[in-house]
Amino acid sequence: MASWAKVAATPPKADDASSTDDDSVDTPSTPTQGHDSSTDDDLPEMREVPTPQHIKQALTKPRVVDVVVIGAGVSGLRAARDLVERGRSVLVVEARDRCGGRVHTVRGRDRGAAWVHGVDGSPLAALAKEASVELEPVSARGNPWTSPPLLSGVAAVWRDGARVSDAHLLTRQHMYGAALRTCTRDVNEDDAWKALGPALRKQSPMADPLVRMHCSLAGLWMGAHADELQLREFAGATGLENERWGDHAGAHSHIVGGMASILDPLLDGVDVELGFEVTSIDIVEDGVEVCSGTARCVRGTVCICTLPLGVLQATQISFSPSLTDDRVACLNRLGVARYTKVWLTWEEPWWRSDPGRPFIICVDAGDTHMSAVMCEDVSLASEFVLEACLAGSDADAFDADPQRGLAAVLTRLGVAFGARYPGPPYKTDATAWQGDPFSRGAYSFWRVGARATDVAEVGESHCDRVLFAGE
């Protein structure tokens, strides 16, 4: 912004030649376009006038609040609302042009977070109740990805053109449970470098694709390939019912109308500034200053940073003083899940053969990728849509080459269903959270090599002024 203004120095005089004592005033003729008779000499002289200092300070002085919250996702909004209810002045700054972060519902379709993983004691279930939105149970007895015996109740498994019978699946579930118990029997807290995938592949039952399917489902749950997952995360696992890895007890559910419905009560009374892409977080005298470039800054006594792990790992935001080397090492040891949703739309719901089983799993003999998992998307009653769920290396491959990735998904679908497969869909859509600069992935997990204490150490305050929340 310029520090000076141009103003007219010589206003017209009362006795100017253009004025007259005669009551009659000749009306000047209106010049036609392109024949303007005025010249620069007719304009009054201009001079520079400095902007007063108090106005310059008002234009550049950062806004001051008690607490600055970075990120208008669920975690940031919840923290802000709780602080507002306690009488604090709070400003939430958000890089996107919307609230919600990785919660993003478009026309009823959840492009990001979509599940309440168990309703008993779940904060998301509590938010849904507060927002007066309905939960729709999908797997009433628990998590089918971590409890293989639940799978046959919610998923139809297809292989080589035929549906696999529940009885056949049950024997493979027991085989997987035995392999899992064997390879995790002696795992301990210090085994951060042992991975689930290699340990399971040493077990003879894993030669069966239907047994390996359960390993790939564990990877889908974590958003990573089984070779990236720490074996110790599965210590004590039996492969039986009622096992939970980071989820809650009770039904795994969708929110009717989409996950974004839970945001409404969190926004009540909360001040949010959108389009504020944080570039620096600086500890200053008696507080912390959060800036977007050099022109927009806000200052608070403290700052709550809810940025996703992938964004912090990318070092696209500068801290002053810098984060310690130990904290940066903790950040980089943790893993960021890769999860891509691909929607496939046909003119008819050709896949429907098992009412009450919303999931479809396509199994082939390959051992280099994960089983294809799909569910029917019913967000629009007028469309027939399958949602393919890709995680880990499958998501990486799709993001690197979406056309080739789509072809791979359709090939696996065609091989699994055989003659029932009608050919390619007429419309497709996909997410791209890994390439989004404001998320850089889905959610976090303990990658092979990460210490059990890394999450807690990452969450410690920085200089007693910057607090970390969320993941």
Side-chain angles (χ1 to χ4, degrees):
M1 179 178 289
S3 60
W4 48 270
K6 291 186 175 182
V7 297
T10 54
K13 298 178 181 178
D15 58 352
D16 188 82
S18 62
S19 64
T20 175
D21 292 335
D22 194 336
D23 291 337
S24 64
V25 179
D26 294 334
T27 303
S29 60
T30 302
T32 59
Q33 186 175 3
H35 296 82
D36 192 344
S37 60
S38 64
T39 66
D40 289 345
D41 294 337
D42 298 325
L43 298 175
E45 180 185 355
M46 310 297 283
R47 61 186 174 88
E48 297 181 358
V49 177
T51 301
Q53 187 65 24
H54 72 281
I55 295 180
K56 286 198 295 184
Q57 290 177 346
L59 292 173
T60 59
K61 187 176 181 180
R63 178 177 173 180
V64 179
V65 293
D66 292 330
V67 183
V68 182
V69 177
I70 302 175
V74 173
S75 178
L77 293 176
R78 182 56 187 262
R81 194 195 69 172
D82 288 351
L83 288 166
V84 168
E85 290 178 347
R86 287 162 174 77
R88 303 292 186 179
S89 61
V90 181
L91 177 65
V92 180
V93 294
E94 168 58 48
R96 305 179 194 274
D97 60 0
R98 60 172 179 81
C99 292
R102 285 165 288 180
V103 170
H104 187 33
T105 306
V106 180
R107 298 176 64 199
R109 175 176 294 166
D110 282 316
R111 301 186 68 86
W115 289 91
V116 177
H117 291 295
V119 297
D120 297 345
S122 165
L124 287 178
L127 280 176
K129 182 177 181 180
E130 187 176 352
S132 299
V133 295
E134 183 182 351
L135 291 174
E136 179 184 17
V138 178
S139 179
R141 293 162 57 198
N143 189 342
W145 311 142
T146 62
S147 298
L150 301 180
L151 189 65
S152 58
V154 297
V157 178
W158 286 79
R159 181 187 178 195
D160 296 332
R163 225 210 81 184
V164 180
S165 70
D166 289 347
H168 195 62
L169 283 177
L170 183 61
T171 62
R172 271 53 186 176
Q173 290 162 1
H174 288 310
M175 291 166 64
Y176 174 74
L180 185 62
R181 289 191 295 274
T182 299
C183 71
T184 59
R185 182 177 297 143
D186 299 322
V187 70
N188 59 59
E189 191 71 13
D190 299 323
D191 288 336
W193 289 99
K194 291 184 179 180
L196 175 68
L200 279 173
R201 283 196 291 272
K202 294 178 181 178
Q203 310 300 316
S204 58
M206 300 303 291
D208 189 318
L210 290 173
V211 178
R212 284 201 304 273
M213 173 189 70
H214 292 288
C215 180
S216 70
L217 293 178
L220 178 68
W221 170 247
M222 298 292 188
H225 194 279
D227 288 3
E228 302 173 85
L229 303 178
Q230 288 193 19
L231 184 62
R232 66 179 177 183
E233 278 233 69
F234 301 85
T238 64
L240 301 177
E241 195 170 339
N242 297 325
E243 291 195 335
R244 299 192 301 275
W245 305 329
D247 53 336
H248 296 269
H252 283 236
S253 309
H254 279 150
I255 291 180
V256 176
M259 184 67 78
S261 303
I262 68 172
L263 298 176
D264 291 344
L266 297 180
L267 290 166
D268 187 25
V270 173
D271 190 2
V272 181
E273 184 170 341
L274 300 176
F276 193 111
E277 183 177 350
V278 174
T279 55
S280 62
I281 302 173
D282 299 332
I283 307 299
V284 295
E285 184 178 358
D286 298 328
V288 57
E289 188 167 82
V290 178
C291 293
S292 176
T294 59
R296 300 169 69 188
C297 293
V298 59
R299 185 173 294 189
T301 304
V302 296
C303 164
I304 299 176
C305 177
T306 68
L307 293 172
L309 175 64
V311 174
L312 293 173
Q313 288 178 339
T315 65
Q316 60 199 62
I317 296 171
S318 67
F319 286 81
S320 179
S322 300
L323 299 178
T324 65
D325 291 343
D326 286 345
R327 188 192 294 267
V328 172
C330 290
L331 282 168
N332 291 332
R333 279 191 292 266
L334 295 170
V336 178
R338 291 94 67 209
Y339 198 104
T340 297
K341 299 181 180 182
V342 184
W343 289 279
L344 313 168
T345 306
W346 281 272
E347 293 180 350
E348 297 292 338
W350 58 267
W351 56 86
R352 289 181 183 170
S353 62
D354 297 272
R357 298 195 181 193
F359 292 101
I360 295 170
I361 301 177
C362 301
V363 177
D364 58 35
D367 189 33
T368 59
H369 51 61
M370 303 164 73
S371 300
V373 177
M374 306 188 186
C375 61
E376 183 166 0
D377 184 321
V378 294
S379 56
L380 291 176
S382 59
E383 293 186 345
F384 303 108
V385 184
L386 278 182
E387 176 190 308
C389 309
L390 308 180
S393 54
D394 275 359
D396 293 338
F398 188 96
D399 291 351
D401 189 340
Q403 289 300 318
R404 188 172 181 177
L406 176 61
V409 170
L410 297 180
T411 296
R412 288 153 76 178
L413 195 60
V415 169
F417 276 89
R420 289 177 59 94
Y421 178 63
Y426 73 85
K427 183 171 66 174
T428 64
D429 187 17
T431 59
W433 291 104
Q434 288 73 250
D436 186 330
F438 306 134
S439 62
R440 297 192 179 276
Y443 38 83
S444 59
F445 69 96
W446 269 277
R447 183 167 49 197
V448 169
R451 303 180 311 185
T453 58
D454 281 343
V455 171
E457 291 181 29
V458 166
E460 293 177 356
S461 67
H462 178 53
C463 301
D464 295 326
R465 292 294 182 182
V466 180
L467 311 177
F468 293 88
E471 291 180 276

